[in-house]
């Protein structure tokens, strides 16, 4: 199916995005909850009438930053933009060999790898897809005053900051207002490419620097398609996990979005007995074996094996105890990891089921002549 943007969504998300860029909240979920709660209260008080600032007055009342920065010298008028066609990843069967390749030196590629490693959009890519994206990205040197993207323009490229300082400006009541800065790291420009909307802000270089660009076609062909396919795969995985039957559709979607895929080679250690618990794991493809070490020895005993669709690592997160067993990959194995913070936030409805599983696990150990104290 095509992605259709509901009326009003673009303006709503642009206002919210601007405020996030300005305030840089540490807890985005809590910040969003407070923001939309206050927005709803404002709507009840003033109705649906739009004021002349297009929501900016509300943003300023929500923000604690009253400083008015100097407007940039670059003036611009927001021009009307025609949104591009809706993008349906299921219908995209284009040839991946058409992805452009921009040659890079070893040093350039190493710098680019460092620049993209913590960007959320890139985490859904496998190694082959990541290499395609890195091949396609092009280098752009910037000088002070360069306008990288302009508010109101159509989106053409996605950018990753290698080095340099880049200021974010938004047109507020006819004045360019500085709302944030990218300082030697970060990325921008993806919203216009993802949602076929005009640029929501202007980015201006305030120092010499280097950025990496990715064209619109490649961005959609690889990044958006990979993210879409990953989410569909994780949703299907979650639907097949009995423990997660207690979650409603919205909760399952949130869990799917929070999962991060990881691959392991044959015999590779995934979880080590005695370590502090940091993740729960769902098996996407392959098998793992569960082993425990007898107290006072290095001898490990295999307890069981797990395969596609099964999960492990939840017990230590429920009990807040160290890992009770070691988990090894059997052959090449790919798992989806859910970190402890997301686990506690998203899997509350399943906690009783997971606690019951502790009894089942103790029963398995008893059959092997072991007790819980042997594992700690």
């Amino acid at each position: 199916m095509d992605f259709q943007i509901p009326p009003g969504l673009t303006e709503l998300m642009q206002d919210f995005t601007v405020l996030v860029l300005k305030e840089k909240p540490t807890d985005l979920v809590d910040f969003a909850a407070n923001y939309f709660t206050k927005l709803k209260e404002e709507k009840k008080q003033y109705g649906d009438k739009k004021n002349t600032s297009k929501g900016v007055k509300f943003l300023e009342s929500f923000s604690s930053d009253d400083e008015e920065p100097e407007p940039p010298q670059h003036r611009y008028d927001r021009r009307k933009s025609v949104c591009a066609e809706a993008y349906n990843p299921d219908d995209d069967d284009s040839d991946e060999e058409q992805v452009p390749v921009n040659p890079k030196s070893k040093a350039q590629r190493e710098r680019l790898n460092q620049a993209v490693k913590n960007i959320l959009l890139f985490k859904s890519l496998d190694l082959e897809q990541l290499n395609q994206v890195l091949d396609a990205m092009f280098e752009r040197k910037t000088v002070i005053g360069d306008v990288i993207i302009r508010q109101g323009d159509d989106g053409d490229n996605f950018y990753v900051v290698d080095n340099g300082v880049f200021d974010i400006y938004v047109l507020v009541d006819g004045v360019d207002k500085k709302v944030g800065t990218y300082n030697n790291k970060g990325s921008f420009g993806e919203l216009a490419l993802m949602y076929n909307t005009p640029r929501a802000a202007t980015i201006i270089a305030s120092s010499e620097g280097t950025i990496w660009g990715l064209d619109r076609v490649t961005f959609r062909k690889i990044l958006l398609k990979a993210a879409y396919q990953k989410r569909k795969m994780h949703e299907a995985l979650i639907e097949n996990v009995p423990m997660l039957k207690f979650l409603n559709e919205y909760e399952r979607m949130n869990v799917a979005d929070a999962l991060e895929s990881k691959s392991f080679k044959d015999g590779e250690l995934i979880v080590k007995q005695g370590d502090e618990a940091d993740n729960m794991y769902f098996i996407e493809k392959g098998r793992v074996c569960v082993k425990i070490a007898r107290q006072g020895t290095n001898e490990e005993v295999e307890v069981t094996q797990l395969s596609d669709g099964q999960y492990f690592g939840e017990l230590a997160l429920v009990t807040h105890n160290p890992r009770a067993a070691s988990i090894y990959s059997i052959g090449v194995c790919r798992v989806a990891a859910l970190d402890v913070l997301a686990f506690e936030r998203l899997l509350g409805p399943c906690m009783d089921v997971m606690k019951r599983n502790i009894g089942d696990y103790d029963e398995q150990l008893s059959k092997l002549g072991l007790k819980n104290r042997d594992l700690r």
Side-chain angles (χ1 to χ4, degrees), residues 259-325:
L259 294 177
E260 180 181 350
S261 295
K262 298 182 178 182
S263 295
F264 296 89
K265 299 176 182 178
D266 183 33
E268 190 172 355
L269 180 66
I270 303 173
V271 168
K272 184 178 181 181
Q273 182 177 339
D275 280 357
E276 183 179 349
D278 54 357
N279 289 286
M280 173 185 180
Y281 299 90
F282 300 86
I283 302 175
E284 295 180 7
K285 187 176 182 181
R287 291 187 301 146
V288 301
C289 65
V290 182
K291 294 184 178 182
I292 59 173
R294 295 182 182 274
Q295 190 175 29
T297 72
N298 292 325
E299 179 189 359
E300 289 187 326
V301 179
E302 182 174 312
V303 178
T304 188
Q305 292 188 7
L306 305 172
S307 59
D308 296 13
Q310 294 184 287
Y311 55 91
F312 59 90
E314 81 286 0
L315 297 183
L317 297 183
V318 173
T319 62
H320 301 289
N321 289 327
R323 294 293 192 188

Side-chain angles (χ1 to χ4, degrees), residues 65-101:
D65 182 7
D66 295 324
E67 181 181 356
E68 193 73 30
E70 286 290 326
Q73 296 178 355
H74 301 268
R75 308 303 303 162
Y76 53 88
D77 294 318
R78 179 165 180 162
R79 64 179 176 82
K80 294 187 180 297
S81 171
V82 179
C83 290
E85 72 284 352
Y87 175 64
N88 183 0
D90 284 332
D91 294 338
D92 186 357
D93 56 358
S94 54
D95 187 357
E96 291 186 354
E97 293 182 359
Q98 296 175 2
V99 173
V101 175

Side-chain angles (χ1 to χ4, degrees), residues 239-258:
E239 287 174 359
N240 292 325
V241 177
M243 179 188 73
L244 301 184
K245 296 294 184 182
F246 290 85
L247 299 180
N248 59 39
E249 182 179 1
Y250 176 73
E251 290 169 332
R252 285 197 297 270
M253 287 171 56
N254 283 334
V255 174
D257 287 339

Side-chain angles (χ1 to χ4, degrees), residues 354-372:
M354 289 184 283
K355 288 179 180 177
R356 288 201 297 270
N357 285 349
I358 296 176
D360 296 337
Y361 190 67
D362 286 341
E363 184 179 346
Q364 284 183 300
L365 296 179
S366 296
K367 290 179 181 178
L368 293 169
L370 300 166
K371 299 179 181 179
N372 265 337

Side-chain angles (χ1 to χ4, degrees), residues 316-343:
L317 297 183
V318 173
T319 62
H320 301 289
N321 289 327
R323 294 293 192 188
S326 293
I327 312 291
Y328 296 89
S329 173
I330 301 176
V332 177
C333 179
R334 189 173 69 241
V335 301
L338 183 68
D339 70 67
V340 60
L341 295 179
F343 173 88

Side-chain angles (χ1 to χ4, degrees), residues 102-283:
N102 294 298
K104 299 172 182 66
S105 67
K106 182 179 179 180
Q108 285 178 313
R109 198 171 186 89
E110 289 177 353
R111 292 198 341 261
L112 181 53
N113 261 307
Q114 282 295 114
V116 306
K117 69 177 183 179
N118 293 320
I119 297 177
L120 184 61
L121 278 171
F122 287 76
K123 292 186 180 297
S124 61
L125 303 177
D126 58 32
L127 183 59
E128 181 180 356
Q129 291 169 327
L130 177 60
N131 284 329
Q132 283 185 317
V133 170
L134 297 185
D135 286 340
M137 297 187 79
F138 57 89
E139 187 181 45
R140 175 177 168 182
K141 299 291 186 180
T142 63
V143 297
I144 297 175
D146 271 356
V147 179
I148 313 303
I149 64 175
R150 192 184 299 274
Q151 182 175 351
D153 282 0
D154 292 326
D156 52 357
N157 296 309
F158 165 68
Y159 294 101
V160 175
V161 177
D162 185 344
N163 58 77
V165 180
F166 302 86
D167 293 329
I168 309 164
Y169 292 92
V170 174
L171 195 62
V172 177
D173 290 337
V175 177
D176 298 316
K177 183 172 183 178
K178 181 179 174 181
V179 297
T181 299
Y182 296 104
N183 191 346
N184 291 299
K185 63 180 180 179
S187 60
F188 53 87
E190 72 276 12
L191 292 180
L193 304 189
M194 291 172 68
Y195 301 114
N196 300 317
T197 58
R199 297 292 195 188
T202 293
I203 309 293
I204 300 175
S206 57
S207 75
E208 293 185 349
T210 304
I211 56 177
W212 296 95
L214 183 67
D215 69 271
R216 177 191 185 91
V217 173
T218 306
F219 177 90
R220 301 178 82 186
K221 182 182 295 183
I222 299 180
L223 283 173
L224 282 190
K225 190 172 184 179
Y228 173 81
Q229 290 174 337
K230 174 189 172 183
R231 184 178 189 181
K232 297 296 289 184
M233 176 187 65
H234 285 166
E235 285 180 349
L237 175 66
I238 290 168
E239 287 174 359
N240 292 325
V241 177
M243 179 188 73
L244 301 184
K245 296 294 184 182
F246 290 85
L247 299 180
N248 59 39
E249 182 179 1
Y250 176 73
E251 290 169 332
R252 285 197 297 270
M253 287 171 56
N254 283 334
V255 174
D257 287 339
L259 294 177
E260 180 181 350
S261 295
K262 298 182 178 182
S263 295
F264 296 89
K265 299 176 182 178
D266 183 33
E268 190 172 355
L269 180 66
I270 303 173
V271 168
K272 184 178 181 181
Q273 182 177 339
D275 280 357
E276 183 179 349
D278 54 357
N279 289 286
M280 173 185 180
Y281 299 90
F282 300 86
I283 302 175

